[in-house]
């Protein structure tokens, strides 16, 4: 019994800033010397990002910054203060995304939902976001609830695998899945390259989907999932809980590690699926950064057209961690007209973990 994705919804905070504006704010507050200002200018100018959304407004043009700085350097917020922002703002995005999924659905109502899966790695609270969705959307109290935490940018894949398993084992299962991340609340006021890189790409957002074993008129059929580890990159992509927020490690070597290992794993996998690479219409690559997309394109010998949706999402939203690949899948679903196309989804995260999903676009 196959599993299907019925719809994908995306949500972002209202506040956003243009990348060029953030670049100038960063140069003002962290560029203590000419060399650092030049590095910041280069990183932001070549990021491939036009704008990013955030629940904090320190980088907006409205002088409403509350956590970090706006006009003057403030005391660095501790982890508790940052997590308080997460608890307040993440709840809104989790619920808003779930509500929009149900309001848009022509097939399922709140009473049909049997499972809720939530995903996040940027904060904690209990009862968790899956509880909040059940309570605020009026779902049955017997709805099964699961939360996948602290897995990073690839976490949408384990969530989809879990949802697909529920749907395949129970023909009546209807799964509501929501990923929400507030990466920007963990911004670090540090001048080392790794922190400057992470500060230049991360953003906030949420995305969700409905899944069941009933074939929709529009959506995706889930064909295959696969994953692997590239352990040489274990220390190049990681998160740790510090006293001043979560410490994000995003090494400049990650794109090279991906380039050196991806095709060796993925080419045989595509052959195992009985496909030629040319039969994959588009690649929904998690846009962790411009260099990552460049290296995937080079490693897999793809044209710009094949990763166009990933480029567009990176430009419009930046890297929102786990929801980002769902933004790309939504973009492909809404803007490719051909039916029964094969779509290859990819994401990378701590480990260094590589996750893939082969999907068939239904409309």
């Amino acid at each position: 019994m196959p599993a299907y994705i019925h719809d994908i919804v995306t949500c972002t905070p209202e506040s956003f800033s243009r990348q060029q504006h953030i670049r100038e704010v960063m140069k003002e507050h962290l560029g203590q010397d000419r060399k650092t200002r030049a590095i910041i200018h280069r990183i932001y100018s070549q990021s491939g990002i036009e704008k990013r959304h955030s629940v904090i407004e320190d980088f907006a043009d409205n002088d409403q910054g509350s956590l970090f700085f706006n006009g003057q350097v403030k005391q660095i917020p501790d982890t508790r203060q940052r997590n308080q922002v997460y608890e307040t703002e993440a709840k809104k995005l989790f619920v808003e995304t779930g509500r929009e999924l149900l309001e848009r659905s022509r097939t399922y109502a709140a009473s049909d939902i049997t499972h809720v899966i939530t995903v996040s790695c940027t904060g904690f609270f209990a009862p968790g976001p899956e509880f909040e969705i059940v309570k605020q959307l009026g779902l049955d109290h017997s709805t099964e609830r699961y939360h996948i935490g602290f897995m990073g940018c690839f976490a949408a894949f384990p969530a989809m695998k879990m949802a697909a398993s529920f749907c395949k084992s129970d023909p009546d299962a209807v799964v509501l899945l929501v990923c929400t991340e507030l990466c920007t609340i963990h911004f670090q006021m540090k001048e080392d390259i790794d922190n400057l890189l992470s500060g230049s790409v991360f953003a906030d957002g949420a995305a969700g989907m409905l899944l069941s074993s009933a074939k929709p008129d529009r959506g995706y059929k889930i064909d295959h999932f696969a994953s692997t580890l590239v352990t040489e990159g274990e220390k190049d992509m990681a998160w740790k809980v510090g006293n001043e927020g979560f410490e994000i490690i995003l090494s400049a070597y990650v794109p090279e590690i991906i380039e050196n290992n991806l095709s060796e794993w993925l080419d045989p996998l595509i052959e195992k699926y009985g496909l030629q690479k040319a039969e994959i219409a588009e690649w929904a690559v998690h846009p962790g950064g411009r260099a990552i997309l460049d290296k995937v394109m080079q490693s897999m010998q793809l044209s710009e057209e094949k990763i166009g949706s990933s480029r567009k999402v990176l430009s419009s939203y930046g890297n929102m961690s786990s929801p980002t690949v769902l933004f790309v899948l939504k973009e492909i679903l809404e803007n490719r007209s051909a039916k029964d196309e094969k779509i290859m989804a990819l994401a990378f995260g701590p480990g260094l973990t590589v996750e893939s999903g082969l999907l068939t676009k239904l409309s």
Side-chain angles (χ1 to χ4, degrees), residues 16-43:
F16 70 88
S17 297
R18 299 289 172 182
Q19 187 79 330
Q20 290 184 351
H21 174 71
I22 302 173
R23 180 191 66 197
E24 297 307 309
V25 174
M26 290 288 289
K27 286 163 63 177
E28 176 184 354
H29 288 285
L30 286 184
Q32 301 302 314
D33 54 69
R34 184 175 179 178
K35 179 181 178 181
T36 303
R37 289 193 295 272
I39 291 172
I40 291 172
H41 191 94
R42 180 180 177 85
I43 287 174

Side-chain angles (χ1 to χ4, degrees), residues 34-320:
R34 184 175 179 178
K35 179 181 178 181
T36 303
R37 289 193 295 272
I39 291 172
I40 291 172
H41 191 94
R42 180 180 177 85
I43 287 174
Y44 278 76
S45 298
Q46 297 187 2
S47 65
I49 298 171
E50 292 294 326
K51 69 177 176 68
R52 290 182 282 157
H53 291 256
S54 174
V55 296
I56 58 173
E57 300 185 51
D58 293 82
F59 296 96
D61 296 326
N62 57 14
D63 297 324
Q64 297 298 312
S66 59
L67 265 187
F68 301 105
F69 49 72
N70 202 312
Q72 62 180 354
V73 175
K74 299 180 179 180
Q75 183 177 356
I76 298 174
D78 60 28
T79 301
R80 180 170 182 261
Q81 291 171 309
R82 299 177 197 237
N83 198 67
Q84 286 175 332
V85 175
Y86 175 85
E87 182 173 357
T88 300
E89 300 299 332
K91 283 182 180 179
K92 298 176 185 177
L93 286 173
F94 273 113
V95 173
E96 179 184 353
T97 305
R99 178 175 289 115
E100 187 171 347
L101 277 168
L102 292 175
E103 288 178 350
R104 282 167 52 105
S105 177
R106 299 178 180 178
T107 307
Y108 298 116
S111 58
D112 297 309
I113 303 300
T114 58
H115 301 72
V116 172
I117 302 172
T118 54
V119 177
S120 192
C121 67
T122 45
F124 305 94
F125 58 88
E130 79 293 344
F131 169 87
E132 205 68 26
I133 287 174
V134 170
K135 182 182 72 173
Q136 294 205 38
L137 299 187
L139 306 187
D140 193 282
H141 288 188
S142 65
T143 302
E144 294 187 31
R145 299 180 286 118
Y146 303 89
H147 181 70
I148 296 176
F150 224 64
M151 296 191 79
C153 295
F154 68 85
F157 284 87
M160 287 190 284
K161 291 177 186 178
M162 180 185 289
S165 295
F166 292 148
C167 296
K168 290 177 180 179
S169 63
D170 180 359
D172 296 321
V174 181
V175 184
L176 189 155
L177 186 162
V178 181
C179 304
T180 297
E181 304 288 8
L182 306 186
C183 303
T184 65
I185 66 173
H186 297 293
F187 170 76
Q188 301 292 315
M189 295 171 64
K190 299 176 182 178
E191 298 178 17
D192 61 279
I193 294 297
D194 285 354
N195 272 291
L196 290 177
L197 281 172
S198 63
S200 72
V201 298
F202 281 114
D204 302 346
M209 55 175 59
L210 288 174
L211 303 96
S212 81
S213 60
K215 185 177 180 179
D217 293 329
R218 177 179 179 272
Y220 291 104
K221 175 180 174 287
I222 296 174
D223 296 320
H224 301 282
F225 288 115
S227 63
T228 191
L229 290 176
V230 184
T231 54
E232 67 182 83
E234 180 179 356
K235 296 182 179 179
D236 290 281
M237 190 184 293
W239 287 43
K240 296 181 180 179
V241 178
N243 291 331
E244 296 175 350
F246 295 173
E247 298 168 359
I248 306 168
I249 300 169
L250 184 62
S251 166
Y253 294 107
V254 169
E256 290 184 19
I257 295 170
I258 291 171
E259 181 184 27
N260 293 337
N261 292 274
L262 186 61
S263 63
E264 182 180 344
W265 171 69
L266 202 50
D267 282 338
L269 194 64
I270 294 171
E271 185 177 345
K272 180 182 176 181
Y273 294 154
L275 293 174
Q276 300 292 322
K277 198 183 303 181
E279 295 179 87
I280 299 174
E282 190 162 354
W283 293 62
V285 182
H286 165 71
R290 180 193 57 79
I292 288 177
L293 294 180
D294 290 346
K295 295 302 184 182
V296 170
M297 187 178 74
Q298 293 166 17
S299 176
M300 301 307 298
Q301 299 179 319
L302 305 177
S303 66
E304 279 289 346
E305 182 185 9
K306 296 281 188 177
I307 61 166
S309 294
S310 294
R311 296 273 194 205
K312 184 174 181 180
V313 168
L314 178 66
S315 176
S316 299
Y317 300 101
N319 178 356
M320 299 165 285

